[in-house]
Amino acid sequence: MNKKTLVFGASLKPNRYSNYAVQQLIANNVTVVAFGNEKGEINGVSVVSDLIPYLDLHTVTLYLNPKQQKPYYDYILSLKPGRVIFNPGTENTEFYELLREHKISFEASCTLVLLATNQY
C-alpha cells in the first residue's frame, strides 16, 4: 500500500494522535509528509510549517479543529488529493461542501482505526 499522505496538523509531541498517525502510516509503508505549527521530525519524517505544493497526494488526514482549518481550505483544495480524512474532532460541514464542489472525496473517520483494520 502506498497512498501518499499528508498529515495536516502533525504534532511533535509523542502523546498526540497526529504523531502516532505518522508513525503508523510509516509502519504500514505509506509515504508520509507532514505539516505542523512547529518544525521538526517524527521517525524520519520532516514536519514542515510551509505550505508546500505536494504532487500526487492520495490522502490528506486532518488533525486541526474546524476553526483552525478555515485558513487552509484553498491550500488543501489546490493539492487535489484523492480524499480528505476528518479525524475525530475535525468534522467540518462547511469544508465538506467545498470538497464536494471540487469533487474531492472525504470521510469522517479515524486514520488509526482505518490502518488497524486494513481499510486505509
Side-chain angles (χ1 to χ4, degrees):
M1 158 190 2
N2 197 355
K3 298 178 177 177
K4 185 175 179 180
T5 298
L6 169 59
V7 177
F8 202 84
S11 173
L12 300 178
K13 297 175 184 172
N15 62 333
R16 305 295 286 210
Y17 287 117
S18 61
N19 186 294
Y20 191 53
V22 170
Q23 295 176 48
Q24 289 304 299
L25 287 161
I26 293 166
N28 282 274
N29 299 313
V30 175
T31 300
V32 183
V33 291
F35 171 86
N37 287 331
E38 191 177 341
K39 292 179 183 179
E41 190 176 292
I42 302 168
N43 286 19
V45 172
S46 292
V47 177
V48 300
S49 58
D50 300 319
L51 301 178
I52 296 171
Y54 295 107
L55 301 176
D56 303 321
L57 275 182
H58 180 274
T59 301
V60 173
T61 183
L62 291 173
Y63 287 93
L64 292 178
N65 71 45
K67 187 177 178 181
Q68 293 172 313
Q69 292 168 24
K70 196 168 189 137
Y72 301 108
Y73 289 173
D74 289 339
Y75 169 69
I76 293 170
L77 293 169
S78 77
L79 296 173
K80 300 178 183 164
R83 69 174 169 178
V84 175
I85 297 174
F86 290 82
N87 287 280
T90 69
E91 300 88 348
N92 182 344
T93 54
E94 179 179 74
F95 199 11
Y96 296 169
E97 289 305 314
L98 289 171
L99 291 165
R100 273 191 197 99
E101 289 172 17
H102 287 84
K103 297 179 177 36
I104 297 172
S105 71
F106 61 90
E107 58 187 287
S109 192
C110 176
T111 297
L112 296 171
V113 171
L114 293 172
L115 288 166
T117 58
N118 295 317
Q119 297 179 67
Y120 193 79

